[in-house]
Amino acid sequence: MPPPVVSSVSPNQGPAAGGTTVTVTGTGFTGVTSVRFGAKSSPAFTSSSTTKITARTPSGTGTVNVTVTTSGGTSTQSVPFTYVPAPSLTGLSPAEGPVSGGTTVVLTGASFSGVTAVEFDGVPAASFTVDSSSQIIAVTPAHAAGPAAVTVTTSSGTSNALNFTYTAAPSVTGLSPNQGPVSGGTTVTLTGANFSAATAVQFGGVAAASFTVDSGSQITAVAPSHAGGAAAVTVTTPGGTSNPADPNAFFYYAAPPSLTGLVPPSGTTAGGTTVTLTGSDLLGATAVEFGGVAAASFTVDSSTQITAVAPSHAAGTAAVTVTTLGGSSNPVGYVYLDTPVLVSVEPDLGPADGGTVVTLTGNNVAAATDVQFGAVTASFTVVSPTQITTVVPADTAGPVSVTVTTPAGTSNGLTYTRLAAPNI
């Protein structure tokens, strides 16, 4: 019998561990005694005809020649079978990312040909591209926080595992202090969660002058210079960036506050008058004072307006000031007034049709805003802090109460009698 002839083997490659079922074709396959892959015999084979053998590969490495032996001899043709090693991983870059997934990771290693899967803890990568036999670009799927074993699978098997760490996004819950000058330089303590491995701290989009990660829940940062106003503070880690919409803004004050006006400009010594202060750089106000006495309360409406309630104070002019971390404002005078008091009305009677010029004498009437005869408003002129001249309005006959009103209140009433004309 002539020796057998081997013409092909299909498939012509398989894993180094062996176990691949291949079909060997050729001629003279009568009485086959062995099928060899290099120096190793197939652990199992079946000769289904004189031209076809089904064999299972032994383990091996590299490219080997497939031979068939019968009683007529051994084939001598060069028919290769290539052992493909299982893939191996040597590196991941980056090796961590957010739990939401979406991180592009470069996998390096060997034997990446014919990759069928890239998995993160058994979860398929969102996508992957085999760049070469030693590099794969994969996009991470979503995963719970913590390490995830990354593996690559080919027809030759599954690689060793390398850990990719999933990190939860950081969150900022507090700043201390929460304001400072536009020139920067304020040391600020940030509190929150998931600060480990922080790569950036920003104030309104501007990188902190420096920062130190004290723990997973605390960072010490130095505020950079910045335009005036509120600046959202964010922390970035491989897990993502904290939410800038969190109510944790650092306020930059540009200069000491300034005051331009008070409405009303005066009120009673008892306090309680609501006063609107206007000016600039009023945000972050820490104090509003009337003559050195703290306002009963105040609300910062905007950078140009504060609403304050005047405290009680002795009569006279009190300097109103606003204080922020930037300093204290210029003073603006607020006049405290005693309640007006009427002492006399001269003359105290006149015709019912009005028109009589009357002199009102009393105290604290300089800031008069209204003179009334009964319920009727009269025209008037303030002559001095103790005297007003007024014209009696036309009205029906009879006695009426005359009063004077100032921002400090309304005076006592004195009687003025209007005489009806005689009926002849």
Side-chain angles (χ1 to χ4, degrees):
M1 294 177 58
V5 174
V6 175
S7 57
S8 68
V9 59
S10 179
N12 63 359
Q13 62 179 19
T20 303
T21 298
V22 301
T23 298
V24 181
T25 57
T27 59
F29 291 165
T30 301
V32 176
T33 58
S34 71
V35 176
R36 290 181 177 271
F37 290 77
K40 289 187 176 182
S41 297
S42 168
F45 66 88
T46 301
S47 177
S48 57
S49 71
T50 60
T51 60
K52 183 181 292 185
I53 300 171
T54 301
R56 190 168 73 246
T57 62
S59 61
T61 58
T63 299
V64 298
N65 195 42
V66 180
T67 59
V68 174
T69 300
T70 69
S71 58
T74 300
S75 63
T76 59
Q77 294 75 32
S78 178
V79 178
F81 179 88
T82 301
Y83 284 98
V84 179
S88 63
L89 278 176
T90 56
L92 304 174
S93 181
E96 57 185 340
V99 294
S100 58
T103 303
T104 299
V105 182
V106 177
L107 289 69
T108 53
S111 304
F112 289 163
S113 299
V115 175
T116 56
V118 175
E119 295 181 320
F120 290 71
D121 247 2
V123 179
S127 65
F128 70 88
T129 302
V130 179
D131 294 336
S132 67
S133 63
S134 60
Q135 181 172 294
I136 297 172
I137 306 295
V139 177
T140 62
H143 192 281
V150 181
T151 57
V152 174
T153 300
T154 69
S155 59
S156 297
T158 299
S159 72
N160 58 305
L162 293 181
N163 279 337
F164 179 88
T165 302
Y166 280 92
T167 306
S171 62
V172 178
T173 57
L175 306 173
S176 180
N178 62 358
Q179 53 185 329
V182 294
S183 57
T186 304
T187 298
V188 183
T189 299
L190 288 69
T191 53
N194 305 316
F195 288 165
S196 297
T199 56
V201 176
Q202 294 187 317
F203 289 68
V206 179
S210 65
F211 71 90
T212 301
V213 179
D214 304 321
S215 68
S217 59
Q218 180 173 300
I219 291 176
T220 301
V222 176
S225 59
H226 197 281
V233 179
T234 59
V235 173
T236 300
T237 71
T241 298
S242 62
N243 185 0
D246 287 345
N248 290 294
F250 183 85
F251 178 77
Y252 282 92
Y253 48 80
S258 65
L259 284 178
T260 55
L262 306 174
V263 177
S266 58
T268 177
T269 55
T273 303
T274 298
V275 183
T276 300
L277 291 67
T278 54
S280 60
D281 300 312
L282 303 181
L283 288 176
T286 56
V288 175
E289 295 183 321
F290 288 69
V293 179
S297 65
F298 70 90
T299 301
V300 179
D301 304 320
S302 68
S303 64
T304 60
Q305 180 174 298
I306 292 176
T307 300
V309 176
S312 59
H313 196 281
T317 301
V320 178
T321 58
V322 173
T323 301
T324 68
L325 289 183
S328 293
S329 71
N330 56 300
V332 174
Y334 177 83
V335 180
Y336 276 94
L337 303 171
D338 283 320
T339 304
V341 176
L342 281 182
V343 176
S344 65
V345 176
E346 286 291 337
D348 60 0
L349 54 82
D353 57 359
T356 304
V357 176
V358 176
T359 299
L360 307 178
T361 304
N363 297 310
N364 310 317
V365 297
T369 57
D370 191 30
V371 174
Q372 288 192 323
F373 284 72
V376 181
T377 298
S379 62
F380 68 92
T381 301
V382 176
V383 178
S384 72
T386 59
Q387 191 174 88
I388 291 175
T389 59
T390 183
V391 178
V392 179
D395 206 343
T396 57
V400 293
S401 180
V402 181
T403 58
V404 173
T405 299
T406 72
T410 299
S411 71
N412 57 304
L414 294 181
T415 301
Y416 178 85
T417 303
R418 290 170 293 185
L419 303 173
N423 186 9
I424 300 174

